[in-house]
Amino acid sequence: MVERDLVASAKAGDKAAFEELVSQTHRRVYTLAYRLVGDRAEAEDVAQEAYLRMFRGLAGFREEARFETWMYRIVANCAVSALRRRGRFGDVVSDEDLDLPAPEQTEQQTVDSDELTRALAELPEGQRVVVILKDVYGLSCREIGDELGVEEGAVKVRLHRARKRLADLIAGGSDTGGPGHEGEV
Amino acid sequence: MRVRCEDVQELLPEYAEWGPRPAGDVERHLASCQECNARLTSLRSLLRSLEGLRAVEVDPEPGFLERTLQAVQAGTGPGRVVSIAELREARTRLTSMVRDPRTGYAVASLTGAAVGATAIALLWWRIARRAMTHGAM
């Protein structure tokens, strides 16, 4: 967790404090960016863009809020902009268009993180972004909606579909490859 | 009215997130249906696993921190850029300008003109010096 004093110093314009903030958080920021865009070079650009926005927005950051949540929201916003530039975020894909394996009814322990990462990469981008921000990083549906520019209800719908699909993919032991290429509203 | 499995299973992705709830139709169904209960267990395990993924970090490429600090410096210091996209665009413009054959011709012409002017100046200087030497004799 990032120390409040460090955030306060960076907010007051101390450049060294901001650099320390970058140093302490860069792996987390990069990881989130990579999970959202699914490409290393693009994740680096997204992370750097996010830090520029953080630097410029730090003066307006309210210290009663959690710095990490604020930071994740900025990364999410930059990642969604990158996905939109790529042109695949926001296409509608119906459930019927996807040939999903039938789920097996087996009781499971926690899922291996590699398997989970591969299953996440199989999701349409719109669903992947929502489930990562909500279930991995703990943002609320309203916060996600704000960053994606969609209603909270639309976020909930995507989340519902994402969880169902993820459960099916894991139960089906799908042979997964790279990140999914379809988006969804 | 008896609750059907498909109705309950449709609710499970959200239901899995909730804690203990007062007994209702769904809870009564879950208590007696092994299939729906297995699905709920599997969804709860999925949510726990997703939460655990937060602690798993992906290694960035070597030099990422240094490049990021440089980008922040470039983006916030004097002559700052507005965004990384703009910084990248400026770099691309510069690269394509260097690669453009017209830039090559322009540089070659300017170099030729500079060499020519230097040669003329040298020649002039030698003539002038010779004239001064002869004048002195």
Side-chain angles (χ1 to χ4, degrees):
Chain A
M1 193 168 154
V2 177
E3 284 176 28
R4 279 180 177 266
D5 289 351
L6 186 61
V7 176
S9 301
K11 191 178 166 181
D14 181 346
K15 217 158 184 176
F18 186 76
E19 289 186 358
E20 179 57 28
L21 211 55
V22 176
S23 175
Q24 282 187 20
T25 57
H26 73 285
R27 285 172 64 88
R28 270 179 287 168
V29 164
Y30 177 84
T31 301
L32 172 58
Y34 178 67
R35 285 197 173 121
L36 295 177
V37 298
D39 175 85
R40 284 189 164 273
E42 203 165 10
E44 190 164 315
D45 284 347
V46 165
Q48 290 175 356
E49 181 81 51
Y51 278 121
L52 276 180
R53 286 202 207 171
M54 276 183 233
F55 186 87
R56 288 173 192 145
L58 206 50
F61 169 67
R62 288 176 293 111
E63 284 175 58
E64 61 268 25
R66 276 192 71 215
F67 177 77
E68 278 85 352
T69 305
W70 182 72
M71 177 176 84
Y72 291 146
R73 288 182 68 164
I74 291 178
V75 178
N77 191 285
C78 293
V80 169
S81 300
L83 290 171
R84 288 205 169 111
R85 276 198 299 274
R86 214 198 271 175
R88 292 201 296 255
F89 194 82
D91 303 335
V92 179
V93 176
S94 70
D95 287 349
E96 292 75 32
D97 293 340
L98 295 158
D99 185 20
L100 294 174
E104 289 166 15
Q105 304 308 314
T106 52
E107 192 164 317
Q108 294 184 346
Q109 300 303 310
T110 51
V111 186
D112 171 68
S113 68
D114 288 344
E115 189 188 354
L116 196 52
T117 302
R118 281 194 295 272
L120 280 168
E122 283 286 290
L123 292 180
E125 280 167 351
Q127 291 182 12
R128 190 176 73 234
V129 167
V130 166
V131 81
I132 286 175
L133 293 175
K134 174 74 174 67
D135 290 341
V136 182
Y137 290 89
L139 266 61
S140 70
C141 289
R142 179 181 286 188
E143 287 169 337
I144 297 168
D146 287 348
E147 298 313 320
L148 267 60
V150 298
E151 294 294 320
E152 190 179 347
V155 173
K156 287 181 176 169
V157 170
R158 282 192 205 181
L159 183 66
H160 177 90
R161 290 183 178 178
R163 285 175 179 170
K164 261 174 85 173
R165 191 162 293 167
L166 213 46
D168 289 348
L169 283 166
I170 287 163
S174 141
D175 178 24
T176 57
H181 295 316
E182 309 93 336
E184 184 179 82
V185 170
Chain B
M1 199 179 87
R2 193 174 160 77
V3 183
R4 294 178 309 166
C5 285
E6 57 196 82
D7 296 331
V8 170
Q9 286 175 15
E10 193 52 33
L11 298 171
L12 293 183
E14 286 78 47
Y15 189 91
E17 194 179 344
W18 303 331
R21 294 169 61 79
D25 289 345
V26 176
E27 287 71 25
R28 274 191 288 275
H29 178 89
L30 285 167
S32 63
C33 178
Q34 217 173 353
E35 187 189 330
C36 290
N37 224 318
R39 277 191 184 241
L40 179 62
T41 306
S42 142
L43 273 161
R44 285 198 166 138
S45 122
L46 171 67
L47 293 187
R48 269 202 314 277
S49 307
L50 282 166
E51 208 181 318
L53 206 58
R54 191 164 166 179
V56 181
E57 289 181 344
V58 178
D59 285 329
E61 296 294 323
F64 167 66
L65 175 60
E66 292 71 24
R67 285 192 297 279
T68 301
L69 289 172
Q70 276 171 14
V72 170
Q73 185 71 38
T76 57
R80 66 192 182 142
V81 289
V82 173
S83 68
I84 295 296
E86 192 182 297
L87 182 69
R88 204 158 3 113
E89 198 181 308
R91 207 167 49 203
T92 312
R93 263 205 311 270
L94 189 67
T95 312
S96 64
M97 207 173 86
V98 168
R99 286 185 184 153
D100 190 340
R102 284 175 303 183
T103 311
Y105 298 144
V107 170
S109 308
L110 281 172
T111 311
V115 168
T118 311
I120 290 168
L122 268 172
L123 209 62
W124 211 323
W125 176 71
R126 284 186 67 180
I127 292 168
R129 206 173 65 157
R130 195 174 295 169
M132 277 173 71
T133 315
H134 285 294
M137 285 168 78

